[in-house]
């Protein structure tokens, strides 16, 4: 059904602009749409499986269109033949990319299937019977290894690089290799060090090793297993227990931030405005790359400020005799380097090293392993195509140049993907092979479910969220468990719309624990502060939030509160009565104060434009220079907020929505720990190492994936950042086992968006 009544006026879907579909959808939820024939409530369908249409909420059959309505309908179009694929009605004759002129005229783009992929050929990857008893005994325990996996398990002496592609069973290879070394080669487990990157992975390794133990043997209990941090810290604590006492550990970023804010005051940094979170990340990056404060050469003003904080931070820790997690790595390296006798003892003790997720290793971790591994018996298991932590100091070059540090390296490539179906593996291969700096490999799937990856084209991020939630809701109603679904995105701010739609849907979902409400972001809080003060000119927190935008220090808050009491006026008016302002500040404040009362009389969208242009918020953003963070810029946050604001007619309803979403974020973070069957929302970085039956990938457009910062670096002649972004897309795609849905919105942050160049490359 393509017609309905809205606000007492007949409407036809074909005559509505695409940007109003979301408005119609929400009008239907509020009961503001009725059937043009029977007058009962209808809603607008916005999903993946069918074109947009109105439907009755009481499941009535659609009515025939009245004659007078038919006369207004567009002229009939030629009938197109359709075929059912993946549960979609796809035009038989239409190619994967329509003619550009047709695309512009279309109001709704039919989802496209990535069907132009190589055909599936099942390769024989059965285990070789010639390797004898050990592997036969494993098969009795239902543990099967293909030929390449067996080679990785049995190549014990000398350096070994195992290129373990996505879904290739690297955990099975590592645990089986340990079992083979102990049971078959009679190697003392005390001489083996098995290193993982997360405590969760270490525990999984220990659990899997139990499958290989003989009854009551506990032969693997003396094996040293853990993360780099845990193992290196044990070495430090063993030799210098007082210096490396766990009570002196700075466990949380807020502890670091507390000191950095104190240090920042000495160089005039604004506590509310300066990106201390980014400073912590940058300091960690320098330390993981073994760059002391004396070695760092700042490249811009922001880095100069970070560098100053870095020096103060190191001096403070030394004075207080405290340490952080990065110090564990540097401390262990220095301890071994400065004590040759002690190093020799550890070299005698540990003869074999097995390192998981080797593509994530950083310089200080790597250099310490090179010290310890005197005999070169290092088995490095990783995938350079999944190296996505450059901001932590990891680098695919540690894999690419491995043979230079460990001559006579054997290389085993695990190319069988046991996780994903053929179409997902084939599409992922096509994406990643465009990278220049990589080890050549091509993953091969073990099964084909005839389900092609789907590209879909929402109008913007609001409609993107609606379509995804609607599609999951349909599948869940048909019996699919919520835990089968994951929604992946480049940065947390990109999840704002889908979080809001899920919050309204009643579907169970979980969040990353470091997820923060979009509305609590520094710049968003600042611009919302103006709106809050328009409703309540005595809102202390709101005034505190807008002070940076007025180029006032936080000390002005106390002055304004005192003036408000003495002069018997609101906090907003008190600003113009402050005595310690520069003439230009006073002039600006007196100019904008009358505008506060105007903000509450206009729509939120207009109000945000006023704050941005007339009240000088855009000037503040420009003068900040760094915009707070290279990945998530303040100007981007403002554009995101303007997209949300368009949905509301009043400041009150908009702010109620904001407060509701802030509260729901905190509530969902608590519930996330309890849910066992829920949709997973995650950044792509957080999803690495995990797998999901169905994956929805948000905003595969230039500016998001690849991110703006990598495009800027590319324009300046730097290739590495862009290649890492392509690896990030590869990681996202290979999380999916059976279904992959890639969203390509036509508009993002209120501007025209363009399909990711990484997706274009494979069309």
């Amino acid at each position: 059904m393509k017609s309905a009544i809205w606000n007492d006026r007949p409407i036809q879907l074909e005559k509505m602009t695409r940007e109003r579909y979301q408005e119609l959808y929400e009008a239907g939820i509020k009961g503001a749409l009725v059937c043009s024939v029977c007058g009962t409530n209808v809603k607008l369908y916005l999903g993946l499986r069918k074109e947009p249409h109105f439907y009755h909420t009481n499941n009535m059959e659609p009515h025939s269109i009245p004659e007078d309505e038919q006369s207004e309908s567009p002229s009939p179009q030629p009938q197109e033949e359709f075929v059912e694929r993946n549960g979609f009605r796809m035009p038989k004759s239409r190619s994967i990319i329509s003619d550009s002129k047709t695309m512009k005229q279309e109001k709704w783009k039919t989802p496209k299937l990535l069907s132009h992929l190589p055909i599936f050929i099942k390769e024989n990857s059965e285990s070789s019977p010639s390797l004898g008893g050990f592997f036969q005994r494993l098969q009795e325990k239902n543990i099967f290894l293909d030929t390449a996996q067996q080679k990785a398990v049995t190549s014990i002496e000398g350096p070994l690089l195992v290129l373990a592609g996505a879904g290739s069973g690297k955990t099975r290879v590592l645990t089986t290799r340990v079992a083979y070394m102990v049971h078959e080669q009679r190697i003392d487990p005390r001489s083996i060090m098995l290193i993982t990157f997360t405590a969760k992975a270490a525990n999984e390794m220990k659990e899997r090793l139990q499958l290989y133990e003989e009854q009551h043997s506990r032969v693997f209990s003396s094996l040293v297993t853990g993360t780099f941090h845990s193992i290196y810290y044990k070495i430090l604590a063993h030799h210098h227990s007082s210096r490396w006492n766990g009570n002196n550990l700075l466990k949380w970023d807020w502890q670091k931030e507390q000191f950095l804010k104190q240090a920042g005051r000495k160089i005039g940094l604004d506590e509310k405005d300066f990106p201390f979170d980014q400073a912590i990340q940058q300091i960690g990056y320098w330390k993981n790359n073994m760059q002391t404060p004396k070695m760092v050469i700042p490249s811009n003003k922001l880095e100069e400020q970070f560098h100053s904080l870095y020096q103060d931070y190191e001096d403070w820790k030394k004075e207080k005799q405290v340490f952080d997690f990065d110090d564990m790595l540097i401390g262990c390296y220095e301890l071994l380097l400065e004590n040759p006798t002690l190093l020799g003892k550890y070299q005698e003790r540990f003869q074999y090293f097995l390192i998981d997720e080797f593509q994530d290793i950083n310089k200080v971790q790597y250099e310490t392993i090179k010290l310890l591994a005197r005999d070169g018996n290092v088995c490095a298991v990783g995938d350079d195509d999944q190296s996505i932590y450059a901001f932590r100091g990891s680098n695919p070059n540690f894999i690419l140049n491995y043979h230079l540090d460990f001559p006579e390296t054997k290389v085993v490539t695990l190319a069988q993907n046991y996780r994903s179906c053929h179409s997902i593996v084939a599409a992922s291969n096509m994406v990643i092979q465009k990278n220049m700096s990589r080890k050549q490999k091509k993953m091969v799937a073990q099964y084909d479910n005839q389900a092609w990856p789907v590209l879909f084209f929402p109008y913007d991020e609001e409609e993107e969220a609606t379509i995804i939630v609607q599609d999951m809701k349909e599948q869940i109603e048909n019996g699919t468990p919520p835990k089968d679904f994951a929604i992946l995105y480049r940065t947390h701010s990109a999840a704002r719309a889908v979080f809001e739609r899920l919050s309204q849907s009643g579907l169970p979902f979980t969040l990353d624990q470091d997820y923060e409400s979009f509305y609590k972001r520094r710049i968003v809080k600042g611009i919302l502060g103006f709106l809050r003060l328009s409703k309540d000119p005595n809102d202390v927190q709101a005034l505190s939030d807008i002070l940076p935008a007025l180029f006032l220090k936080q000390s002005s808050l106390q002055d304004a509160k005192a003036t408000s009491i003495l002069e018997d006026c609101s906090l907003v008016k008190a600003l113009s009565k402050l005595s310690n302002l520069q003439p230009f500040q006073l002039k600006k404040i007196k100019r904008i104060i009358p505008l506060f009362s105007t903000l509450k009389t206009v729509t939120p969208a207009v109000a945000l434009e006023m704050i941005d242009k007339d009240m000088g918020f855009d000037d503040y953003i420009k003068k900040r220079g760094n915009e707070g963070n290279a990945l998530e810029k303040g100007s981007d946050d403002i554009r995101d907020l303007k997209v949300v604001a368009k949905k509301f007619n009043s400041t009150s309803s908009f702010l109620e929505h904001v407060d509701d979403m802030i509260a729901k974020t905190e509530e969902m973070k608590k519930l996330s720990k309890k849910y066992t069957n829920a949709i997973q929302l995650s950044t792509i970085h957080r999803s690495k190492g995990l797998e999901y039956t169905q994956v929805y990938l948000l905003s595969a457009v230039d500016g998001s994936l690849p991110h703006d910062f990598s495009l800027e670096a590319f324009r300046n002649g730097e290739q590495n950042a862009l290649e890492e972004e392509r690896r990030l897309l590869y990681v996202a795609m290979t999380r999916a086992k059976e279904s992959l849905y890639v969203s390509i919105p036509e508009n993002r942050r209120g501007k025209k968006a363009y399909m990711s160049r990484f997706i274009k490359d494979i069309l």
Side-chain angles (χ1 to χ4, degrees), residues 198-376:
T198 64
K200 182 180 177 182
N203 290 331
E204 184 183 355
M205 295 279 188
K206 291 172 185 176
E207 288 174 11
R208 292 222 194 170
L209 281 170
Q210 292 176 8
L211 298 173
Y212 302 92
E213 286 205 349
E214 297 171 5
Q215 198 170 13
H216 307 302
S217 71
R218 292 185 56 80
V219 68
F220 298 115
S221 60
S222 57
L223 178 78
V224 174
T225 307
T227 64
F228 277 108
H229 285 91
S230 67
I231 292 173
Y232 289 4
Y233 177 63
K234 284 176 184 175
I235 293 173
L236 288 169
H238 179 72
H239 296 285
H240 297 290
S241 56
S242 58
R243 165 70 180 88
W244 298 96
N245 187 312
N247 294 326
N248 299 330
L249 172 63
L250 299 171
K251 293 181 180 179
W252 313 108
D253 279 354
W254 65 262
Q255 294 171 298
K256 302 177 188 177
E257 188 166 321
Q258 199 172 45
F259 169 76
L260 292 182
K261 284 181 176 179
Q262 182 182 329
R265 293 190 199 112
K266 293 189 296 184
I267 55 174
L269 301 182
D270 191 305
E271 285 188 21
K272 283 249 177 200
D273 199 34
F274 191 77
F276 288 101
D277 53 346
Q278 192 181 354
I280 291 170
Q281 181 177 301
Q282 182 63 53
I283 290 169
Y285 175 84
W286 281 328
K287 293 177 73 170
N288 288 329
N289 276 290
M290 306 176 77
Q291 290 181 273
T292 64
K294 291 181 179 178
M295 297 166 64
V296 171
I297 303 175
S299 59
N300 53 50
K301 182 182 177 183
L302 183 62
E303 281 198 1
E304 286 176 7
Q305 293 168 325
F306 288 166
H307 180 237
S308 175
L309 294 176
Y310 182 19
Q311 182 65 68
D312 287 347
Y313 179 58
E314 294 302 300
D315 292 342
W316 172 71
K317 283 187 300 170
K318 189 174 182 180
E319 179 190 341
K320 297 294 184 182
Q321 294 189 321
V322 295
F323 60 95
D324 60 26
F325 287 103
D326 296 324
D327 293 323
M328 295 177 182
L329 305 179
I330 295 171
C332 185
Y333 173 78
E334 292 176 345
L335 174 71
L336 297 174
L337 187 67
E338 294 166 4
N339 295 275
T341 304
L342 182 63
L343 174 62
K345 290 181 179 179
Y346 277 103
Q347 289 172 335
E348 285 181 25
R349 161 77 190 274
F350 294 106
Q351 301 291 313
Y352 300 91
F353 299 84
L354 291 79
I355 306 173
D356 188 20
E357 302 285 10
F358 192 73
Q359 75 280 348
D360 296 336
I361 202 168
N362 62 41
K363 184 175 177 63
V364 65
Q365 292 165 340
Y366 186 53
E367 293 299 327
T368 306
I369 286 295
K370 284 163 62 178
L371 283 180
L372 289 167
R374 180 178 58 191
D375 298 329

Side-chain angles (χ1 to χ4, degrees), residues 442-695:
K442 190 174 183 181
M443 300 304 295
V444 179
Q446 299 303 296
Y447 71 99
D448 184 14
N449 64 357
Q450 296 293 317
W452 308 107
V454 178
L455 307 182
F456 65 101
F457 310 92
Y459 176 77
D460 62 6
E461 48 269 79
E462 293 292 329
E463 190 178 279
E464 174 183 65
T466 297
I467 289 172
I468 290 172
V469 172
Q470 174 64 32
D471 193 60
M472 291 190 298
K473 190 180 292 185
E474 290 173 30
Q475 294 195 61
I476 288 169
E477 287 172 357
N478 289 327
T480 304
K483 66 181 179 182
D484 278 8
F485 302 105
I487 302 172
L488 305 183
Y489 35 86
R490 178 65 181 80
T491 59
H492 280 311
S493 61
R496 191 267 314 157
V498 81
F499 171 84
E500 294 181 3
R501 210 69 75 251
L502 278 170
S503 296
Q504 297 159 354
S505 72
L507 297 176
F509 66 99
T510 63
L511 297 165
D512 291 338
Q513 284 306 302
D514 63 346
Y515 180 89
E516 183 180 60
S517 173
F518 168 75
Y519 303 106
K520 291 183 74 175
R521 294 171 64 76
R522 185 182 297 113
I523 295 299
V524 177
K525 281 169 62 179
I527 200 166
L528 287 175
F530 286 84
L531 285 181
R532 294 188 189 280
L533 284 168
S534 72
K535 286 181 60 60
D536 178 6
N538 289 306
D539 188 325
V540 176
Q541 183 59 54
L543 183 62
S544 174
D545 290 338
I546 75 164
L547 288 179
L550 301 177
F551 301 101
L552 297 177
K553 294 185 177 180
Q554 285 299 311
S555 58
S556 298
L557 178 62
Q558 298 306 320
D559 296 339
K561 287 163 73 174
T563 303
S564 172
I565 295 169
L566 291 171
E567 300 280 343
D568 191 23
C569 63
S570 69
L571 284 174
V572 169
K573 285 188 177 178
L575 285 174
S576 64
K577 300 175 183 292
L578 296 180
S579 59
N580 56 348
L581 298 183
Q582 298 291 329
F584 79 92
Q585 291 176 312
L586 190 60
K587 182 180 178 182
K588 177 179 179 179
I589 288 170
K590 285 185 174 180
R591 179 175 59 82
I592 69 172
I593 281 177
L595 298 178
F596 277 97
S597 57
T598 308
L599 293 178
K600 62 183 178 183
T601 65
V602 296
T603 65
V606 172
L608 291 180
E609 285 297 329
M610 285 179 59
I611 297 166
D612 204 19
K613 306 300 181 189
D614 301 332
M615 300 177 82
F617 204 84
D618 61 342
D619 185 47
Y620 157 63
I621 291 294
K622 289 171 186 172
K623 287 185 177 177
R624 292 177 83 234
N626 60 78
E627 291 208 68
N629 192 301
L631 275 181
E632 300 182 321
K633 294 182 178 179
S635 55
D636 292 339
D637 287 345
I638 294 172
R639 286 197 288 270
D640 282 335
L641 193 64
K642 288 177 179 177
V643 171
V644 190
K646 287 180 181 178
K647 297 167 57 179
F648 297 90
N649 294 321
S650 71
T651 299
S652 296
S653 59
F654 179 45
L655 289 176
E656 284 172 11
H657 171 77
V658 167
D659 291 336
D660 185 40
M661 288 302 110
I662 291 173
K664 281 185 175 173
T665 300
E666 295 308 310
E667 180 186 348
M668 284 309 306
K669 286 170 77 170
K670 293 175 184 175
L671 288 173
S672 292
K673 298 176 182 178
K674 301 177 182 179
Y675 281 140
T676 56
N677 184 17
I679 299 158
Q680 176 67 53
L681 268 64
S682 175
T683 61
I684 301 171
H685 283 97
R686 288 279 188 182
S687 74
K688 195 169 84 66
L690 304 176
E691 58 184 40
Y692 311 94
T693 304
Q694 302 193 47
V695 166

